[in-house]
mmCIF file of all heavy atoms in Angstrom:
data_model
loop_
_atom_site.group_PDB
_atom_site.id
_atom_site.type_symbol
_atom_site.label_atom_id
_atom_site.label_comp_id
_atom_site.label_asym_id
_atom_site.label_seq_id
_atom_site.Cartn_x
_atom_site.Cartn_y
_atom_site.Cartn_z
ATOM 1 N N ILE D 395 22.825 0.918 -1.440
ATOM 2 C CA ILE D 395 22.144 2.215 -1.421
ATOM 3 C C ILE D 395 22.031 2.722 0.016
ATOM 4 O O ILE D 395 22.281 3.899 0.305
ATOM 5 C CB ILE D 395 20.750 2.109 -2.072
ATOM 6 C CG1 ILE D 395 20.879 1.750 -3.550
ATOM 7 C CG2 ILE D 395 19.981 3.416 -1.915
ATOM 8 C CD1 ILE D 395 19.556 1.457 -4.236
ATOM 9 N N ALA D 396 21.663 1.831 0.939
ATOM 10 C CA ALA D 396 21.530 2.222 2.343
ATOM 11 C C ALA D 396 22.860 2.712 2.905
ATOM 12 O O ALA D 396 22.904 3.687 3.669
ATOM 13 C CB ALA D 396 21.007 1.045 3.168
ATOM 14 N N THR D 397 23.954 2.062 2.502
ATOM 15 C CA THR D 397 25.280 2.500 2.954
ATOM 16 C C THR D 397 25.597 3.896 2.423
ATOM 17 O O THR D 397 26.136 4.752 3.150
ATOM 18 C CB THR D 397 26.355 1.506 2.480
ATOM 19 O OG1 THR D 397 26.076 0.214 3.031
ATOM 20 C CG2 THR D 397 27.743 1.950 2.915
ATOM 21 N N ALA D 398 25.247 4.138 1.173
ATOM 22 C CA ALA D 398 25.490 5.451 0.591
ATOM 23 C C ALA D 398 24.660 6.537 1.277
ATOM 24 O O ALA D 398 25.055 7.709 1.323
ATOM 25 C CB ALA D 398 25.172 5.422 -0.900
ATOM 26 N N LEU D 399 23.503 6.157 1.821
ATOM 27 C CA LEU D 399 22.620 7.115 2.488
ATOM 28 C C LEU D 399 23.013 7.379 3.936
ATOM 29 O O LEU D 399 22.443 8.257 4.582
ATOM 30 C CB LEU D 399 21.175 6.603 2.472
ATOM 31 C CG LEU D 399 20.507 6.401 1.110
ATOM 32 C CD1 LEU D 399 19.110 5.813 1.297
ATOM 33 C CD2 LEU D 399 20.424 7.713 0.351
ATOM 34 N N GLU D 400 24.000 6.646 4.441
ATOM 35 C CA GLU D 400 24.312 6.698 5.873
ATOM 36 C C GLU D 400 24.614 8.098 6.407
ATOM 37 O O GLU D 400 24.128 8.467 7.483
ATOM 38 C CB GLU D 400 25.460 5.748 6.194
ATOM 39 C CG GLU D 400 25.670 5.553 7.679
ATOM 40 C CD GLU D 400 26.700 4.481 7.981
ATOM 41 O OE1 GLU D 400 26.423 3.303 7.676
ATOM 42 O OE2 GLU D 400 27.779 4.823 8.501
ATOM 43 N N PRO D 401 25.390 8.931 5.712
ATOM 44 C CA PRO D 401 25.629 10.280 6.256
ATOM 45 C C PRO D 401 24.341 11.057 6.506
ATOM 46 O O PRO D 401 24.200 11.737 7.531
ATOM 47 C CB PRO D 401 26.481 10.948 5.172
ATOM 48 C CG PRO D 401 27.180 9.804 4.488
ATOM 49 C CD PRO D 401 26.194 8.690 4.489
ATOM 50 N N GLY D 402 23.396 10.951 5.588
ATOM 51 C CA GLY D 402 22.115 11.629 5.790
ATOM 52 C C GLY D 402 21.330 11.039 6.940
ATOM 53 O O GLY D 402 20.633 11.758 7.672
ATOM 54 N N ILE D 403 21.417 9.725 7.121
ATOM 55 C CA ILE D 403 20.699 9.070 8.219
ATOM 56 C C ILE D 403 21.328 9.444 9.563
ATOM 57 O O ILE D 403 20.620 9.621 10.565
ATOM 58 C CB ILE D 403 20.689 7.543 8.007
ATOM 59 C CG1 ILE D 403 19.937 7.204 6.715
ATOM 60 C CG2 ILE D 403 20.043 6.830 9.187
ATOM 61 C CD1 ILE D 403 20.030 5.750 6.295
ATOM 62 N N VAL D 404 22.659 9.590 9.589
ATOM 63 C CA VAL D 404 23.328 10.052 10.812
ATOM 64 C C VAL D 404 22.798 11.429 11.210
ATOM 65 O O VAL D 404 22.538 11.695 12.388
ATOM 66 C CB VAL D 404 24.860 10.081 10.615
ATOM 67 C CG1 VAL D 404 25.530 10.828 11.758
ATOM 68 C CG2 VAL D 404 25.408 8.663 10.521
ATOM 69 N N GLU D 405 22.619 12.300 10.227
ATOM 70 C CA GLU D 405 22.060 13.629 10.516
ATOM 71 C C GLU D 405 20.660 13.501 11.114
ATOM 72 O O GLU D 405 20.292 14.240 12.036
ATOM 73 C CB GLU D 405 22.007 14.469 9.236
ATOM 74 C CG GLU D 405 23.362 14.910 8.722
ATOM 75 C CD GLU D 405 24.054 15.856 9.689
ATOM 76 O OE1 GLU D 405 23.361 16.740 10.254
ATOM 77 O OE2 GLU D 405 25.273 15.704 9.901
ATOM 78 N N LEU D 406 19.886 12.577 10.613
ATOM 79 C CA LEU D 406 18.511 12.405 11.108
ATOM 80 C C LEU D 406 18.473 11.842 12.523
ATOM 81 O O LEU D 406 17.456 11.954 13.207
ATOM 82 C CB LEU D 406 17.727 11.479 10.175
ATOM 83 C CG LEU D 406 17.393 12.046 8.786
ATOM 84 C CD1 LEU D 406 16.682 10.988 7.942
ATOM 85 C CD2 LEU D 406 16.524 13.292 8.904
ATOM 86 N N SER D 407 19.562 11.232 12.965
ATOM 87 C CA SER D 407 19.590 10.711 14.334
ATOM 88 C C SER D 407 19.551 11.832 15.365
ATOM 89 O O SER D 407 19.357 11.581 16.559
ATOM 90 C CB SER D 407 20.834 9.835 14.556
ATOM 91 O OG SER D 407 22.015 10.625 14.562
ATOM 92 N N ARG D 408 19.700 13.087 14.892
ATOM 93 C CA ARG D 408 19.602 14.258 15.774
ATOM 94 C C ARG D 408 18.414 15.149 15.395
ATOM 95 O O ARG D 408 18.345 16.313 15.750
ATOM 96 C CB ARG D 408 20.895 15.073 15.711
ATOM 97 C CG ARG D 408 22.120 14.335 16.250
ATOM 98 C CD ARG D 408 23.392 15.148 16.043
ATOM 99 N NE ARG D 408 24.553 14.548 16.665
ATOM 100 C CZ ARG D 408 25.263 13.550 16.153
ATOM 101 N NH1 ARG D 408 24.925 13.056 14.977
ATOM 102 N NH2 ARG D 408 26.308 13.055 16.785
ATOM 103 N N HIS D 409 17.486 14.570 14.643
ATOM 104 C CA HIS D 409 16.318 15.317 14.159
ATOM 105 C C HIS D 409 15.416 15.725 15.336
ATOM 106 O O HIS D 409 15.330 15.011 16.336
ATOM 107 C CB HIS D 409 15.535 14.432 13.182
ATOM 108 C CG HIS D 409 14.497 15.151 12.394
ATOM 109 N ND1 HIS D 409 13.241 15.415 12.894
ATOM 110 C CD2 HIS D 409 14.526 15.688 11.149
ATOM 111 C CE1 HIS D 409 12.530 16.064 11.984
ATOM 112 N NE2 HIS D 409 13.286 16.240 10.925
ATOM 113 N N PRO D 410 14.728 16.861 15.249
ATOM 114 C CA PRO D 410 13.836 17.277 16.348
ATOM 115 C C PRO D 410 12.702 16.301 16.640
ATOM 116 O O PRO D 410 12.222 16.223 17.773
ATOM 117 C CB PRO D 410 13.277 18.630 15.851
ATOM 118 C CG PRO D 410 14.265 19.118 14.854
ATOM 119 C CD PRO D 410 14.832 17.900 14.209
ATOM 120 N N ASP D 411 12.263 15.564 15.631
ATOM 121 C CA ASP D 411 11.154 14.625 15.813
ATOM 122 C C ASP D 411 11.686 13.300 16.366
ATOM 123 O O ASP D 411 12.481 12.624 15.716
ATOM 124 C CB ASP D 411 10.458 14.393 14.469
ATOM 125 C CG ASP D 411 9.198 13.548 14.596
ATOM 126 O OD1 ASP D 411 9.070 12.818 15.602
ATOM 127 O OD2 ASP D 411 8.353 13.607 13.688
ATOM 128 N N PRO D 412 11.243 12.890 17.571
ATOM 129 C CA PRO D 412 11.774 11.647 18.158
ATOM 130 C C PRO D 412 11.462 10.397 17.333
ATOM 131 O O PRO D 412 12.239 9.443 17.355
ATOM 132 C CB PRO D 412 11.098 11.586 19.541
ATOM 133 C CG PRO D 412 9.939 12.511 19.462
ATOM 134 C CD PRO D 412 10.312 13.568 18.485
ATOM 135 N N THR D 413 10.332 10.386 16.611
ATOM 136 C CA THR D 413 10.036 9.206 15.791
ATOM 137 C C THR D 413 11.040 9.068 14.658
ATOM 138 O O THR D 413 11.412 7.952 14.279
ATOM 139 C CB THR D 413 8.612 9.286 15.210
ATOM 140 O OG1 THR D 413 8.504 10.431 14.356
ATOM 141 C CG2 THR D 413 7.574 9.380 16.319
ATOM 142 N N VAL D 414 11.494 10.202 14.109
ATOM 143 C CA VAL D 414 12.515 10.165 13.065
ATOM 144 C C VAL D 414 13.840 9.691 13.646
ATOM 145 O O VAL D 414 14.538 8.851 13.057
ATOM 146 C CB VAL D 414 12.667 11.541 12.396
ATOM 147 C CG1 VAL D 414 13.822 11.531 11.397
ATOM 148 C CG2 VAL D 414 11.373 11.935 11.685
ATOM 149 N N ARG D 415 14.199 10.218 14.830
ATOM 150 C CA ARG D 415 15.444 9.785 15.476
ATOM 151 C C ARG D 415 15.401 8.282 15.735
ATOM 152 O O ARG D 415 16.389 7.564 15.523
ATOM 153 C CB ARG D 415 15.654 10.536 16.796
ATOM 154 C CG ARG D 415 15.793 12.035 16.658
ATOM 155 C CD ARG D 415 16.452 12.664 17.882
ATOM 156 N NE ARG D 415 15.736 12.462 19.130
ATOM 157 C CZ ARG D 415 14.754 13.221 19.588
ATOM 158 N NH1 ARG D 415 14.320 14.246 18.854
ATOM 159 N NH2 ARG D 415 14.191 12.981 20.747
ATOM 160 N N ASN D 416 14.254 7.824 16.182
ATOM 161 C CA ASN D 416 14.089 6.409 16.490
ATOM 162 C C ASN D 416 14.348 5.532 15.262
ATOM 163 O O ASN D 416 15.094 4.547 15.313
ATOM 164 C CB ASN D 416 12.657 6.190 16.993
ATOM 165 C CG ASN D 416 12.582 5.085 18.024
ATOM 166 O OD1 ASN D 416 13.386 4.173 18.017
ATOM 167 N ND2 ASN D 416 11.603 5.170 18.901
ATOM 168 N N LYS D 417 13.698 5.887 14.146
ATOM 169 C CA LYS D 417 13.853 5.113 12.913
ATOM 170 C C LYS D 417 15.300 5.174 12.407
ATOM 171 O O LYS D 417 15.836 4.181 11.901
ATOM 172 C CB LYS D 417 12.902 5.640 11.838
ATOM 173 C CG LYS D 417 11.416 5.398 12.145
ATOM 174 C CD LYS D 417 10.544 6.073 11.108
ATOM 175 C CE LYS D 417 9.055 5.958 11.437
ATOM 176 N NZ LYS D 417 8.551 4.585 11.329
ATOM 177 N N ALA D 418 15.919 6.358 12.527
ATOM 178 C CA ALA D 418 17.297 6.518 12.056
ATOM 179 C C ALA D 418 18.256 5.643 12.855
ATOM 180 O O ALA D 418 19.138 4.970 12.283
ATOM 181 C CB ALA D 418 17.712 7.987 12.150
#
Side-chain angles (χ1 to χ4, degrees):
I395 296 173
T397 300
L399 298 177
E400 191 173 294
I403 297 172
V404 168
E405 289 295 319
L406 290 177
S407 70
R408 295 175 174 80
H409 192 277
D411 186 339
T413 62
V414 175
R415 298 199 300 274
N416 213 332
K417 292 174 185 292

